[in-house]
Amino acid sequence: MSAMVDAVAVEKHFGAANVLSDVNLTVQEGEVVCVVGPSGGGKSTFLRCINRLEKPTGGVVWVDGEVMGYKRDGDRLKEMRERDVRRQRRKIGMVFQRFNLYPHMTALENVAHSPVKVNREPRPEAERRARELLERVGLADKIGAYPNQMSGGQQQRVAIARALAMRPRLMLFDEPTSGLDPELVGEVLDAMKQLAEEGMTMIVVTHEMGFAREAADRVVFMADGRIRETGTPAEILDRPRDPRTQAFLKRVLG
């Protein structure tokens, strides 16, 4: 296995606030890593540093063999222009808490939009793949539906299909079920489990401990801007060693 993500000594400061401190994490190709921890612990910021939506204050992040945001200039790293960062970002799909679908576009149009606009794919080919992806996430019957005609769970599955349409090497999920009604959570998690079974490399920030236990290869516990503990789901969820992890899981799991 080769490393898909290698975050080295990542720091992030917002003014005087130190949000991330010396975060180090390696994710192998095909691995599913769930990041858990209290709100405000830096999980989402770390995810955004991976795809350079946030520029780290310190450290570097490698994705699929490239340093995000930099190119080599002799023996040094030179910061890239934003358009070159956007090119790097194409290999990374991201699904947010909010679906951010285009309200005036159907599910099919939402999924096909970026491949046509960004990758210059022929529209018939992009729409053919969009149909396949919508079927893959269980929405073959919603191809012509607009976002306001779909439930939150359905919209989030469209968002997953939209991210997959760019043929990413890595998928990032930032609490994708946090805004959903409880009865809709399962359908989104099922789509994510299918991706995991198909070998997609995934980093998932989540509060869904059942999903972490079932789908993750590793669980990472973050708090106060640091990775406090990492291990298999059984090691972290059943036998945590760090007192901070123990206190968090006691509150969450009882």
Side-chain angles (χ1 to χ4, degrees):
M1 296 176 69
S2 58
M4 177 61 68
V5 177
D6 196 9
V8 182
V10 174
E11 306 265 341
K12 181 62 182 179
H13 305 156
F14 292 104
N18 191 2
V19 180
L20 296 175
S21 300
D22 193 29
V23 176
N24 297 273
L25 181 68
T26 299
V27 179
Q28 303 297 334
E29 185 174 353
E31 192 175 17
V32 177
V33 174
C34 283
V35 184
V36 303
S39 298
K43 305 184 301 298
S44 295
T45 299
F46 177 54
L47 216 60
R48 292 171 66 85
C49 284
I50 292 174
N51 67 358
R52 202 74 178 181
L53 287 176
E54 292 287 355
K55 178 181 173 182
T57 308
V60 295
V61 179
W62 295 76
V63 175
D64 198 23
E66 286 189 296
V67 184
M68 292 297 294
Y70 294 93
K71 61 182 178 181
R72 290 213 169 270
D73 183 11
D75 294 331
R76 298 185 302 171
L77 291 175
K78 181 179 179 181
E79 195 164 347
M80 285 181 173
R81 292 173 294 183
E82 179 56 28
R83 70 180 185 184
D84 295 321
V85 176
R86 287 197 297 268
R87 175 191 58 78
Q88 286 186 315
R89 211 177 275 138
R90 291 179 193 175
K91 69 176 70 176
I92 306 171
M94 188 161 184
V95 178
F96 300 87
Q97 295 179 28
R98 297 189 61 82
F99 327 123
N100 297 323
L101 301 179
Y102 293 111
H104 62 287
M105 293 184 182
T106 65
L108 180 71
E109 292 166 339
N110 265 284
V111 176
H113 178 72
S114 289
V116 172
K117 185 176 178 62
V118 178
N119 288 353
R120 301 289 188 255
E121 289 185 22
R123 184 169 293 279
E125 170 60 22
E127 290 187 351
R128 181 195 64 77
R129 178 163 167 76
R131 287 187 178 90
E132 290 178 353
L133 290 170
L134 288 167
E135 182 175 356
R136 184 172 165 187
V137 296
L139 293 175
D141 61 335
K142 296 294 182 181
I143 285 174
Y146 290 89
N148 65 2
Q149 298 171 323
M150 292 182 282
S151 70
Q154 290 168 340
Q155 290 184 64
Q156 191 64 295
R157 284 185 283 158
V158 173
I160 293 172
R162 179 181 58 184
L164 293 172
M166 295 296 285
R167 305 178 191 275
R169 298 272 292 145
L170 167 70
M171 284 288 288
L172 307 177
F173 294 85
D174 187 8
E175 300 190 17
T177 61
S178 66
L180 299 179
D181 293 334
E183 65 269 21
L184 303 177
V185 168
E187 61 192 49
V188 175
L189 294 181
D190 286 344
M192 293 168 62
K193 288 174 188 174
Q194 182 180 338
L195 282 182
E197 291 167 359
E198 293 169 357
M200 175 64 72
T201 309
M202 297 165 56
I203 304 177
V204 184
V205 171
T206 184
H207 291 298
E208 298 291 339
M209 298 302 160
F211 174 82
R213 185 183 298 278
E214 185 174 343
D217 297 298
R218 273 190 299 151
V219 174
V220 172
F221 176 75
M222 282 190 74
D224 306 317
R226 298 178 180 273
I227 292 178
R228 304 294 295 262
E229 193 168 0
T230 182
T232 65
E235 288 170 340
I236 300 302
L237 301 180
D238 297 334
R239 301 183 299 277
R241 300 181 305 277
D242 188 277
R244 190 74 173 83
T245 315
Q246 293 170 355
F248 171 77
L249 290 173
K250 186 175 181 179
R251 289 196 306 271
V252 173
L253 300 177

